[in-house]
Amino acid sequence: MTQSAFLSFNSVSKRYQNQEILREFDLTINDGEFFTILGPSGCGKTTILRLIAGFEQPDHGCVVLDGQDIGNLPAEHRPTNTVFQSYALFPHMSIYDNIAFGLKMSGVDKAEIKQRVHEALSVVQLDGFENRKPHQLSGGQKQRVAIARAIINRPKVLLLDESLSALDYKLRQQMQNELKRIQRQLNITFVYVTHDQEEALTMSDRVLVINNGQAQQIGTPREIYESPVNLFVARFIGESNIFKAKITQCLDNYQYIAEIYGLQWKITADHKFAVDEHVNVILRPEDLRVMYSEDAPQEPGFVGKIIERNYTGKTLDSVIQLDNGHILGISEFFNEDDPDFDYNINQKVWVNWVHGWEHVIKADER
Amino acid sequence: MNISTFSSLINFRRVVITLTLSWLTLFVLLPHLMVLLTSILSPDSEHLVVWPITLDNYTRIFEPIYANIFWDSLLLSGTTTVICLLIGYPFAYFLSNMTPTLRVVLLFLMVVPFWTNSLIRIYAIKMIIGKKGIINSFLLTTNIIDTPLQILYTDFAVVIGLVYILLPFMVLPLMASFDKLDKNLIEVGRDLGASAVNRFIHIILPLTAPGIIAGSLMVFLPAMGMFYVADILGGAKTLLLGNVIKNQFLVVRDWPFGSAFSVFLIVLMAALLAIYHRANSYIQQKGGLDDENL
């Protein structure tokens, strides 16, 4: 993968009816990467996609694709194609005509259209479906046709608008792998928009987390999951236990002693902090260590009781209420030593974590 | 649901169905049967109709003079349908893309004239296009013309009247078609590089075809029977099939022939409706007209 800016937003602003969606928004997407824009509904992610596709024009700033400012180029003239959330197949055309539509519009000759439709169908593994009608296909098959219809035009960027959200869980997982395979096979830049963090983590090379039109964090899936830069990202990506803490002592090498709920904890951060500074210590549910109170070792730990236990198959997800009233979520994998491991409601437990698994962010960052 | 409310529901249904059926039998089925019977009897100046049974009335329909009227009638109704389509199609398109409030207002304005009897509205048109009507007075006083235009009592006047009366019947089914049209499909068309013309030809037109057919039938069929429009605006000429029927009953007093003509018109309309139904279910099943069928 070449690491060059291929698609960029330079200080793009966009409003709808006096509501500012994007303000001086910057974005850089590399050539050939699977880039995901992740955010809650109404955060501006679909607007970004529509600005790339050309369904919207920026009020200010420019959208540059492969060295060319495409900001005011209408959608029909842009080298981009979109896979819509609702598939939006043409109901009156056969699968062949649906997929051939883009090529017909650009005047490609019939023999080449035929060959390329067959290629596209084989990429999405729907060989032999040429003569079917959209209403004869299942949701997953429609989705594949929509992808074939978009990629056949060999776009510079393929845009996917929550393209998998209408599929059921199993099919969605399968299509996630399919999309990754297609992207590798074609080496086209994919820009995927979703509110589903699992989808974003699974498929992407890089993820942009966005909220209220503001970029929160850009990074690899691992970076945004393990090192969220602020509380929004920490809460939006996966589950988080957030402890309010105060630095009480600075050791060397980014090591600190912090006070959490009256106990002193040794923590490691990637920022410099001063004594008395407030910080948030973030721990994922699977990073907390839980024991029955009676088995607890002679180490600092929080004491509480189980108020909820949920068996999910792979894990046992529990909710703990600490004696000081705070609520923690934990997630434990079953292990072979104790496959019947479980909690009773109101079970007394003891919680701590392995030093170094915590992630520390400044308290003033939301 | 307990038994008593269930049985009262059954009773209610029975009452409603019985009432409707009796009404339809008495005022729809019976008159039509009478027309059918009259159509095979012989005319008589004294008793209106007499035995014996004959099919002469039906063979007379195919005499050249009626074939001409039939042809003229088809032409007038056809012209009316095309004009309604040309006006109604863009109008329905804009209506379906409007903000809900504006749309309600415009629909309301379109329907308001229906609260006035159509006969009276046709007389109003006469006032507008007549020799001393509003258009001619205006053009004369502004010296654009020096002799009044002959609009009234022409085929053109009849078409104006028919279009005026029937336009809403074109707009409403078209609007329903445009409402059903998934706007995403038009965006997909843009995304795949289709120009505005191509988007219209390949996406919008085929997908609104059911509305076009329904609207056209709802204009074309009634247009052939609207004798009073032809009477008032077209002068004393016999222009529409409806005029033939009316004249046979009220002027010539040949009830059997008028009845035969009525039956003929009913059969014709039924045939057109059947064709529409077939075409529509074909299109519905395919979700729209095929590209190749255009």
Side-chain angles (χ1 to χ4, degrees):
Chain A
M1 199 201 320
T2 49
Q3 290 294 325
S4 55
F6 185 60
L7 173 66
S8 56
F9 277 45
N10 299 328
S11 179
V12 169
S13 300
K14 181 73 191 170
R15 349 174 114 250
Y16 288 120
Q17 292 149 7
N18 294 325
Q19 200 194 344
E20 196 163 53
I21 309 292
L22 295 176
R23 186 177 175 192
E24 293 174 10
F25 187 79
D26 293 310
L27 176 66
T28 302
I29 296 173
N30 301 323
D31 192 9
E33 77 175 330
F34 199 126
F35 190 87
T36 298
I37 301 170
L38 174 65
S41 44
C43 70
K45 58 187 192 294
T46 299
T47 302
I48 296 174
L49 205 72
R50 293 176 65 83
L51 282 163
I52 302 174
F55 298 129
E56 309 289 348
Q57 266 76 42
D59 298 336
H60 300 288
C62 45
V63 179
V64 180
L65 174 61
D66 203 10
Q68 190 198 356
D69 183 357
I70 57 167
N72 290 309
L73 207 61
E76 52 267 40
H77 295 135
R78 291 195 187 190
T80 58
N81 285 116
T82 308
V83 179
F84 288 79
Q85 179 178 12
S86 58
Y87 320 135
L89 301 183
F90 299 122
H92 57 302
M93 295 184 200
S94 66
I95 300 310
Y96 183 94
D97 288 331
N98 262 285
I99 297 176
F101 191 85
L103 296 182
K104 275 185 191 162
M105 289 303 121
S106 45
V108 175
D109 73 77
K110 283 203 163 152
E112 192 188 337
I113 291 181
K114 193 168 180 194
Q115 189 213 333
R116 279 169 70 177
V117 169
H118 288 294
E119 276 171 25
L121 275 172
S122 100
V123 169
V124 297
Q125 299 178 342
L126 281 180
D127 308 77
F129 276 66
E130 287 85 346
N131 295 322
R132 308 253 186 120
K133 280 291 175 93
H135 70 89
Q136 295 170 310
L137 303 189
S138 69
Q141 289 169 335
K142 284 182 190 162
Q143 186 62 73
R144 285 158 194 263
V145 174
I147 293 168
R149 184 175 64 178
I151 61 173
I152 195 171
N153 308 293
R154 298 176 185 153
K156 288 184 175 171
V157 179
L158 186 73
L159 306 167
L160 301 107
D161 185 8
E162 311 227 1
S163 301
L164 303 184
S165 57
L167 303 176
D168 64 51
Y169 180 73
K170 195 90 189 159
L171 203 52
R172 201 159 66 222
Q173 285 196 316
Q174 197 185 327
M175 284 305 295
Q176 287 171 8
N177 288 327
E178 283 283 286
L179 275 181
K180 271 164 77 173
R181 177 184 64 74
I182 291 168
Q183 196 257 344
R184 274 197 301 267
Q185 190 177 336
L186 301 175
N187 200 23
I188 294 175
T189 306
F190 276 35
V191 179
Y192 190 91
V193 157
T194 184
H195 62 264
D196 184 325
Q197 40 105 3
E198 189 195 315
E199 236 166 61
L201 297 182
T202 311
M203 293 194 289
S204 322
D205 295 318
R206 287 197 305 152
V207 178
L208 161 68
V209 184
I210 182 172
N211 188 31
N212 291 327
Q214 305 281 324
Q216 304 292 314
Q217 187 170 4
I218 295 190
T220 62
R222 182 177 284 261
E223 281 165 3
I224 62 160
Y225 187 78
E226 292 185 357
S227 317
V229 295
N230 59 31
L231 282 184
F232 175 81
V233 178
R235 287 199 178 107
F236 194 72
I237 313 290
E239 304 289 316
S240 290
N241 293 301
I242 295 156
F243 297 95
K244 304 255 172 259
K246 196 170 96 177
I247 305 286
T248 53
Q249 195 183 338
C250 296
L251 311 172
D252 51 355
N253 236 351
Y254 292 98
Q255 308 267 325
Y256 304 90
I257 303 290
E259 185 188 300
I260 304 171
Y261 304 154
L263 293 176
Q264 302 294 318
W265 298 82
K266 192 175 171 192
I267 59 170
T268 306
D270 44 17
H271 283 72
K272 281 248 180 265
F273 294 109
V275 171
D276 282 348
E277 197 167 340
H278 290 273
V279 295
N280 286 308
V281 174
I282 296 165
L283 280 148
R284 299 292 184 183
E286 64 273 20
D287 292 342
L288 286 173
R289 204 155 63 117
V290 187
M291 290 185 187
Y292 298 137
S293 281
E294 55 269 31
D295 302 339
Q298 290 304 309
E299 288 174 37
F302 300 123
V303 182
K305 63 178 184 191
I306 300 285
I307 57 170
E308 196 81 65
R309 58 156 291 283
N310 297 308
Y311 173 78
T312 70
K314 267 188 293 200
T315 57
L316 183 67
D317 293 354
S318 317
V319 180
I320 296 171
Q321 183 172 33
L322 298 184
D323 288 352
N324 61 23
H326 287 89
I327 304 288
L328 298 179
I330 57 164
S331 179
E332 292 165 281
F333 285 91
F334 295 99
N335 67 50
E336 56 203 20
D337 298 337
D338 195 2
D340 298 326
F341 164 76
D342 205 345
Y343 293 116
N344 297 318
I345 301 290
N346 289 329
Q347 172 106 45
K348 287 278 178 198
V349 289
W350 171 96
V351 185
N352 81 348
W353 65 86
V354 176
H355 169 74
W357 287 19
E358 70 282 350
H359 178 68
V360 183
I361 60 177
K362 280 190 210 159
D364 55 22
E365 279 170 6
R366 288 185 308 111
Chain B
M1 193 185 303
N2 62 41
I3 293 175
S4 73
T5 57
F6 184 69
S7 66
S8 71
L9 199 73
I10 295 269
N11 279 333
F12 176 71
R13 251 167 62 179
R14 202 171 282 160
V15 169
V16 169
I17 290 172
T18 314
L19 264 176
T20 317
L21 269 184
S22 341
W23 177 273
L24 287 175
T25 311
L26 205 61
F27 297 113
V28 180
L29 183 65
L30 221 56
H32 277 87
L33 286 177
M34 284 162 72
V35 169
L36 194 64
L37 177 67
T38 311
S39 75
I40 50 171
L41 295 177
S42 307
D44 182 83
S45 49
E46 203 176 326
H47 300 97
L48 285 176
V49 290
V50 288
W51 303 99
I53 286 171
T54 169
L55 283 176
D56 281 357
N57 303 313
Y58 283 97
T59 49
R60 273 181 64 201
I61 292 175
F62 299 99
E63 284 172 11
I65 174 176
Y66 297 114
N68 280 341
I69 293 173
F70 183 71
W71 178 244
D72 285 351
S73 187
L74 229 56
L75 210 65
L76 275 179
S77 305
T79 313
T80 303
T81 308
V82 170
I83 293 175
C84 280
L85 187 60
L86 290 179
I87 302 172
Y89 197 83
F91 183 58
Y93 175 78
F94 289 123
L95 270 184
S96 84
N97 282 304
M98 262 163 193
T99 58
T101 5
L102 201 55
R103 181 185 158 132
V104 168
V105 170
L106 282 171
L107 268 180
F108 178 75
L109 287 177
M110 196 178 72
V111 174
V112 160
F114 274 72
W115 297 346
T116 310
N117 185 294
S118 61
L119 200 59
I120 292 170
R121 287 185 288 142
I122 290 300
Y123 273 110
I125 287 189
K126 194 174 174 176
M127 312 281 271
I128 295 172
I129 62 174
K131 264 220 168 75
K132 291 178 179 167
I134 295 172
I135 292 180
N136 274 320
S137 320
F138 175 76
L139 292 176
L140 284 170
T141 49
T142 51
N143 285 323
I144 296 173
I145 51 168
D146 24 80
T147 47
L149 294 175
Q150 182 64 50
I151 307 173
L152 191 63
Y153 304 137
T154 61
D155 288 3
F156 180 56
V158 178
V159 171
I160 291 178
L162 289 174
V163 169
Y164 171 60
I165 300 278
L166 295 168
L167 184 62
F169 295 99
M170 178 64 88
V171 172
L172 293 175
L174 277 174
M175 208 180 71
S177 254
F178 276 115
D179 284 347
K180 260 171 61 183
L181 179 69
D182 180 0
K183 302 291 182 293
N184 276 331
L185 295 177
I186 298 167
E187 273 195 353
V188 172
R190 287 187 67 189
D191 192 61
L192 294 171
S195 62
V197 173
N198 276 331
R199 293 199 292 272
F200 179 73
I201 294 175
H202 295 286
I203 303 168
I204 300 173
L205 198 57
L207 290 173
T208 50
I212 295 176
I213 299 174
S216 298
L217 278 176
M218 287 179 72
V219 171
F220 185 77
L221 297 183
M224 289 202 292
M226 289 203 156
F227 62 88
Y228 59 92
V229 176
D231 268 358
I232 298 168
L233 299 177
K237 288 170 286 181
T238 303
L239 289 165
L240 298 172
L241 296 185
N243 295 88
V244 178
I245 298 167
K246 182 211 128 195
N247 287 343
Q248 293 306 319
F249 275 97
L250 301 182
V251 182
V252 190
R253 297 182 78 79
D254 185 346
W255 282 28
F257 183 56
S259 300
F261 224 110
S262 294
V263 173
F264 174 68
L265 197 57
I266 290 170
V267 171
L268 194 77
M269 289 185 178
L272 276 173
L273 279 175
I275 291 170
Y276 163 70
H277 199 73
R278 289 284 297 271
N280 205 33
S281 60
Y282 177 74
I283 290 168
Q284 290 294 321
Q285 178 215 330
K286 303 178 73 145
L289 273 183
D290 233 319
D291 234 16
E292 303 93 74
N293 297 357
L294 275 173

